[in-house]
Amino acid sequence: MAGSAAPPGQPARSWRPPCRLSAGRALLLLLLLLLLLATARRAGASAAGGPEVRSLRGSWRLGNANGSVVLRGEVPGCVHTALHRRGLIQDPYYRFNDVMYRWISLDNWTYSRTFKTPFDIRKWQKVNLIFEGVDTVAQILINNVTLGRTDNMFNRYSFDITSVIKEVNFVEVRFLSAVSYAAEQSRCHKVYSIPPACPPPVQKGECHANFIRKEQCSFSWDWGPSFPTQGIWKDVRIEAYNHYRLIYFSLTSFFVKSAQQWSLEIESIFDVVSSKPIAGLVTVNIPKLQTQQTFSVRLQPGEGSIVLLVNINKSSAVEAWWPNGHGKQTGYNMTTTFIMEAGYQIEKFSKAYFRTVELVQEPIPGSPGLSFYFRINGRPIFIKGSNWIPADSFQDRVTYDTLWLLLKSAADANMNALRVWGGGVYEQDEFYDICDEIGIMIWQDFMFACALYPTDKNYLESIRAEVSHQVRRLKSHPSIILWSGNNENEAAIASNWFSIPYADKEVYIKDYVMLYVKNIREIVLTEDKSRPFIASSPTNGLESVKEGWISQNPYDTHYGDTHFYDYSNDCWNWTVYPKTRFASEYGFQSWPSFSTIEKVSSAEDWSYTSNFSLHRQHHENGNDQMLQQLERHFKLPQSTDPIKKFKDTIYLTQVMQAQCMKTETEFYRFSQSEIIKGEGHTMGALYWQLNDIWQAPSWASLEYGGKWKLLHYFAQNFFAPLLPVAYEDKGVLYIYGVSDLHVDHKLSLRASVSQRDDIYIFVLQTTAIAPFVSLDVGSIKGRFSDNGFLMTEKKKVVVFYPWEPTSVEELEKSLTLTSLVDVV
Ligand code: BMA
């Protein structure tokens, strides 16, 4: 039996709806409050009567199956990092260690420890052993009694240990190799196969990742190594309580159009251990918004939720939360106090954010299909950013500082959004906290990618628990603007990636709808009404729904989002790119800088064709594809010094990647406000990919460790709020001024003049693109070094050659500057 994870979908029991108290009953309320406080005190309730928590973080005993390896292992942590920290293995990222250390993930490891119960057990009605995350398949025992099993690293497991806990306890987590478990699950699925069986050999990975609810890329990816970890990867603790315990607490904001008022929905999920209902009062206070409301509630025995709706005082001006580049990320301090007739008082401090999000899919004049764009706080926003993958193969190495560095780099490059891609993990709370703080919107995938998935009962049950847990954990974050069912699985079926015979297709479509629509979507819609849901990426959105959730062509440019990769055409040629509604993935590879590679290689590896260079390239033919692109525009490095040649090649791959991505991204940005041959209205550019999981060639713009590739510097420019773009089409030069600003932008065309010997230097400055800039000094005789030019740079120096004596003062007085934008 699995542990009692968060109940899927809906509250286990229905709760009597809380009632809001009117102002007229204020005195009654006060009396009631005093009475409740008095009763609660008599019953021994106070902050001191609250739950007792004993953390089990720290050092555990760790051993492999036959006992030949025994060591101390940190919790949270995993076997690989424990072995590395104790010096039993080298850096797993060094050279070929990913394959050398395959044995670690094929073994079955056990974590164990003893602990003393720091409280009198008899005083507590309920004691739980809680794991915030177990990676992945394990049997959990305490004092030799099996509590249950875990099979999903994205779930939270809570085991009732009230009857088994003693003064001194022995807890064990016996892992089974994720690789053997996945293989076994696939063998047991006898009726039909669920592809893909294995990753392509170039990835040197493990098989059947889709049969285990674990980070899918930990079995290898086209940019990452195979490290199918085992470990207790999140917090673990004992919690003892009487009466009740608050398990989840979340806030979502809504703008009620009819009342022109913001409101907050507060959901609290409790476990009530008393046999009788518990009544009480909940007070919500947001001082800065002069909002205070009190509700009377009644908690029924068992697990269930209460939902409170707080209307924000209309006379307070609410500042909304805005994405980076569009305004401030204002949040309001809020206190929620639960005063119950029995038990203790709970005070929750949180931040309330106010923002709305709509995914707009509506007809566009002059274009077949539907739009696909985000409206934030009523304003259409062009989504600029990238795709996020796990920052490390070993999640316990991902610190707050790691996240901050990467996310801040995204914001510094003028990004306003990231997509948390479905082959990784639901990120840690701190990730979303930072995004809230710096205005990075999150497109949140559920963790399914590039595969078909089984839907048998146990598997579905586990996923249902996973989905409700993750939505409850994350829905308070204003940064999250979209839930998305999976990565590329609609496309996988539609384009038949796995060569499924036509006659068998129905089975897989049925599974698809069962998983993403009838389960995941249903749960999301029940748990969170504050943001949109799409079933897949890429998708045709409403058109896919109309076609039974799997469109004929999910890459259709007239609907939804697209993923686009083309390594054979010239990537500097903008005509190869799809004029899509929303580009949610596109990219080109490059090599990370030499300093990054150097840390995990030795001198013999430092050539483009070394075994090491081949080994780190997980995308079939990837190194050659980069050279082929290079050859189109550059002379390939010829140095006779092999290291110089390697470094030159690395540099050129980065130049090439940066220029290709600039061309493609600018194309998407200038396609924003036009429809050409029925295509256009592009409202998003999320390139593949922001960060790296290790030191290897990939599509990333940030190297492992956070160093900016040239692409990231380019991104800072091609995502700038004001972007001048010029491109040529059949002999005509088109010039676009792309703006994300909320107000019309006035150009300021400025010049200063100075004299050097007998020539004059004009320094021109502009705040936006200036086409056909003309300098005129009236009747002063002479000529400029250049004139009538397109000014794409902020600053340009032009020389004036006088034909008769003149002065700076005279030139300044006579100078007029004109460009096309001045013509009215
Ligand atoms: C897309 C992504 C990833 C992959 C990338 C580059 O398909 O969803 O699966 O890493 O392309 O190939």
Side-chain angles (χ1 to χ4, degrees):
M1 232 193 71
S4 72
Q10 67 268 15
R13 243 154 274 206
S14 62
W15 292 77
R16 180 176 297 185
C19 52
R20 223 188 108 195
L21 297 176
S22 72
R25 293 166 71 193
L27 188 66
L28 188 69
L29 169 70
L30 189 70
L31 287 173
L32 196 63
L33 249 170
L34 289 172
L35 191 73
L36 270 179
L37 271 174
T39 333
R41 287 227 175 89
R42 259 203 318 279
S46 65
E52 200 58 78
V53 178
R54 162 78 155 97
S55 171
L56 295 181
R57 283 169 169 257
S59 189
W60 289 47
R61 182 183 185 273
L62 176 57
N64 68 340
N66 66 12
S68 60
V69 187
V70 176
L71 65 155
R72 311 298 309 167
E74 291 299 308
V75 170
C78 71
V79 177
H80 286 84
T81 41
L83 290 168
H84 184 213
R85 203 169 283 168
R86 301 279 173 275
L88 296 172
I89 59 169
Q90 288 181 323
D91 174 2
Y93 281 177
Y94 185 67
R95 300 194 78 210
F96 307 90
N97 281 347
D98 53 321
V99 288
M100 300 287 284
Y101 294 155
R102 192 170 171 242
W103 61 271
I104 299 170
S105 54
L106 298 181
D107 210 332
N108 303 323
W109 298 81
T110 295
Y111 279 79
S112 62
R113 66 167 286 168
T114 50
F115 71 93
K116 268 193 168 165
T117 311
F119 45 78
D120 182 353
I121 306 154
R122 288 162 306 178
K123 280 196 183 150
W124 300 97
Q125 285 172 288
K126 193 160 179 183
V127 187
N128 285 336
L129 170 60
I130 294 167
F131 292 88
E132 289 294 339
V134 181
D135 173 20
T136 292
V137 183
Q139 181 187 1
I140 316 280
L141 300 98
I142 194 163
N143 304 328
N144 292 322
V145 177
T146 299
L147 299 173
R149 290 173 199 281
T150 64
D151 59 10
N152 187 332
M153 83 180 278
F154 307 124
N155 223 330
R156 173 184 189 271
Y157 289 91
S158 174
F159 300 99
D160 185 347
I161 54 167
T162 321
S163 58
V164 279
I165 191 166
K166 297 178 187 164
E167 245 169 70
V168 178
N169 303 279
F170 180 59
V171 58
E172 268 179 294
V173 181
R174 293 184 191 160
F175 283 97
L176 181 66
S177 154
V179 177
S180 354
Y181 173 84
E184 179 61 17
Q185 293 298 303
S186 146
R187 256 195 307 280
C188 294
H189 199 280
K190 293 211 168 63
V191 197
Y192 54 96
S193 65
I194 312 269
C198 298
V202 66
Q203 287 181 202
K204 297 164 273 285
E206 302 294 351
C207 302
H208 307 297
N210 51 349
F211 275 93
I212 180 168
R213 290 310 297 143
K214 180 173 168 62
E215 176 183 331
Q216 297 289 279
C217 68
S218 69
F219 277 42
S220 83
W221 213 261
D222 59 1
W223 35 256
S226 172
F227 283 115
T229 44
Q230 291 174 45
I232 302 167
W233 72 299
K234 293 198 175 214
D235 188 48
V236 51
R237 62 186 182 275
I238 304 285
E239 278 184 9
Y241 52 99
N242 291 327
H243 307 288
Y244 56 86
R245 173 91 176 120
L246 181 61
I247 312 174
Y248 293 97
F249 179 82
S250 60
L251 315 173
T252 40
S253 62
F254 298 86
F255 187 73
V256 187
K257 274 204 184 122
S258 53
Q260 285 295 298
Q261 187 176 25
W262 284 100
S263 73
L264 264 187
E265 188 181 289
I266 304 172
E267 189 182 22
S268 314
I269 297 178
F270 284 96
D271 177 31
V272 175
V273 284
S274 303
S275 52
K276 282 194 239 131
I278 305 174
L281 294 173
V282 184
T283 301
V284 180
N285 189 11
I286 311 174
K288 241 190 159 174
L289 296 177
Q290 286 103 40
T291 298
Q292 174 159 345
Q293 270 169 234
T294 299
F295 304 81
S296 75
V297 296
R298 212 172 152 80
L299 309 179
Q300 302 290 340
E303 193 171 309
S305 70
I306 50 169
V307 179
L308 309 172
L309 211 64
V310 175
N311 294 322
I312 304 302
N313 187 343
K314 266 177 137 175
S315 53
S316 308
V318 175
E319 268 186 35
W321 180 95
W322 284 97
N324 183 33
H326 290 274
K328 287 200 283 184
Q329 290 76 47
T330 309
Y332 294 91
N333 290 333
M334 170 177 139
T335 315
T336 310
T337 317
F338 298 80
I339 301 175
M340 312 306 288
E341 63 182 355
Y344 51 98
Q345 176 178 327
I346 301 174
E347 213 166 13
K348 276 292 253 190
F349 301 101
S350 37
K351 267 238 150 84
Y353 294 95
F354 299 88
R355 72 107 189 76
T356 60
V357 51
E358 297 157 272
L359 176 58
V360 185
Q361 299 182 71
E362 60 190 17
I364 302 174
S367 172
L370 298 171
S371 66
F372 190 89
Y373 71 91
F374 290 90
R375 219 189 258 143
I376 307 291
N377 303 325
R379 177 178 287 278
I381 300 275
F382 189 99
I383 301 289
K384 298 183 296 192
S386 185
N387 284 267
W388 172 273
I389 62 159
D392 205 297
S393 292
F394 312 108
Q395 278 295 317
D396 49 292
R397 300 204 300 203
V398 182
T399 62
Y400 182 89
D401 289 351
T402 318
L403 295 172
W404 174 260
L405 193 74
L406 295 170
L407 292 169
K408 187 66 174 58
S409 290
D412 287 347
N414 288 311
M415 296 186 183
N416 60 26
L418 291 173
R419 169 170 171 251
V420 175
W421 166 78
V425 296
Y426 306 94
E427 285 296 330
Q428 41 185 298
D429 295 344
E430 287 75 8
F431 174 93
Y432 303 93
D433 290 341
I434 297 171
C435 291
D436 293 346
E437 193 184 324
I438 64 178
I440 296 291
M441 295 178 280
I442 296 297
W443 169 317
Q444 179 69 50
D445 279 5
F446 285 93
M447 294 301 131
F448 303 87
C450 303
L452 305 182
Y453 287 85
T455 60
D456 48 276
K457 197 169 152 283
N458 290 345
Y459 201 74
L460 263 189
E461 224 166 69
S462 179
I463 291 170
R464 287 178 64 81
E466 161 191 333
V467 172
S468 44
H469 168 59
Q470 294 298 342
V471 176
R472 287 169 179 182
R473 179 172 77 91
L474 299 176
K475 69 177 171 179
S476 304
H477 293 281
S479 51
I480 299 177
I481 57 161
L482 178 76
W483 299 111
S484 173
N486 64 66
N487 174 71
E488 299 185 341
N489 299 351
E490 179 183 343
I493 297 180
S495 324
N496 204 7
W497 289 3
F498 307 121
S499 309
I500 289 164
Y502 186 76
D504 299 341
K505 206 173 153 186
E506 266 318 299
V507 180
Y508 297 96
I509 296 180
K510 228 176 124 202
D511 272 352
Y512 181 92
V513 174
M514 172 62 81
L515 180 55
Y516 304 110
V517 183
K518 294 194 175 152
N519 282 278
I520 297 181
R521 180 172 174 272
E522 279 299 301
I523 295 168
V524 173
L525 296 188
T526 314
E527 295 280 351
D528 180 14
K529 295 180 178 48
S530 73
R531 43 177 76 79
F533 173 90
I534 57 170
S536 188
S537 173
T539 182
N540 287 346
L542 291 178
E543 175 59 22
S544 289
V545 179
K546 212 160 111 192
E547 292 178 41
W549 298 94
I550 295 185
S551 239
Q552 284 269 321
N553 171 24
Y555 297 92
D556 193 329
T557 50
H558 304 94
Y559 296 97
D561 64 327
T562 55
H563 295 187
F564 181 78
Y565 295 94
D566 177 351
Y567 308 118
S568 48
N569 283 302
D570 178 4
C571 65
W572 291 17
N573 174 4
W574 61 269
T575 63
V576 302
Y577 300 122
K579 221 169 172 71
T580 169
R581 300 288 193 234
F582 195 111
S584 49
E585 271 193 29
Y586 57 98
F588 297 93
Q589 281 202 341
S590 72
W591 270 77
S593 51
F594 183 74
S595 62
T596 295
I597 291 297
E598 197 183 13
K599 292 190 182 78
V600 286
S601 55
S602 65
E604 65 199 278
D605 301 325
W606 299 337
S607 93
Y608 199 73
T609 48
S610 68
N611 285 341
F612 172 82
S613 293
L614 277 176
H615 178 78
R616 303 298 267 215
Q617 175 57 269
H618 278 200
H619 169 62
E620 191 72 62
N621 221 16
N623 288 349
D624 285 345
Q625 280 167 353
M626 281 184 264
L627 290 186
Q628 282 152 17
Q629 278 294 348
L630 285 188
E631 272 172 331
R632 290 175 185 274
H633 298 278
F634 302 103
K635 192 164 68 68
L636 290 184
Q638 300 295 327
S639 176
T640 46
D641 172 354
I643 297 180
K644 166 96 174 83
K645 194 172 167 190
F646 186 45
K647 287 180 177 171
D648 286 349
T649 312
I650 288 174
Y651 159 77
L652 280 183
T653 63
Q654 288 205 16
V655 172
M656 171 59 67
Q657 180 198 33
Q659 185 58 33
C660 299
M661 298 299 279
K662 172 180 153 70
T663 311
E664 188 164 0
T665 309
E666 290 185 347
F667 171 74
Y668 295 135
R669 285 196 70 191
F670 76 65
S671 300
Q672 178 178 157
S673 20
E674 67 182 17
I675 294 290
I676 302 216
K677 293 193 193 125
E679 290 179 317
H681 210 303
T682 308
M683 281 300 282
L686 295 172
Y687 67 74
W688 186 267
Q689 69 204 63
L690 179 76
N691 54 323
D692 257 339
I693 199 166
W694 71 336
Q695 308 88 340
S698 87
W699 295 258
S701 61
L702 297 175
E703 300 179 4
Y704 178 77
K707 185 170 177 179
W708 287 28
K709 283 183 178 173
L710 286 183
L711 168 56
H712 209 78
Y713 289 100
F714 270 49
Q716 196 175 24
N717 292 325
F718 63 62
F719 281 145
L722 275 174
L723 175 74
V725 189
Y727 76 96
E728 182 268 344
D729 189 17
K730 299 189 194 86
V732 180
L733 185 69
Y734 291 86
I735 297 149
Y736 285 76
V738 182
S739 168
D740 284 342
L741 302 177
H742 291 199
V743 285
D744 285 352
H745 190 73
K746 286 225 170 62
L747 306 182
S748 65
L749 282 158
R750 261 191 290 137
S752 63
V753 193
S754 59
Q755 185 177 9
R756 198 194 308 149
D757 301 331
D758 52 359
I759 59 165
Y760 292 86
I761 315 289
F762 284 68
V763 179
L764 309 181
Q765 281 178 310
T766 178
T767 53
I769 187 164
F772 304 112
V773 176
S774 161
L775 298 106
D776 194 318
V777 281
S779 49
I780 301 173
K781 288 203 168 96
R783 72 162 180 90
F784 289 96
S785 59
D786 195 5
N787 216 339
F789 44 78
L790 168 69
M791 199 165 154
T792 53
E793 302 296 321
K794 283 195 180 121
K795 202 167 166 186
K796 186 173 167 87
V797 176
V798 179
V799 178
F800 182 72
Y801 304 101
W803 294 336
E804 58 187 28
T806 183
S807 66
V808 169
E809 291 73 21
E810 235 188 306
L811 285 168
E812 272 178 344
K813 230 193 291 163
S814 331
L815 177 72
T816 52
L817 271 172
T818 318
S819 88
L820 212 52
V821 291
D822 297 312
V823 179
V824 279

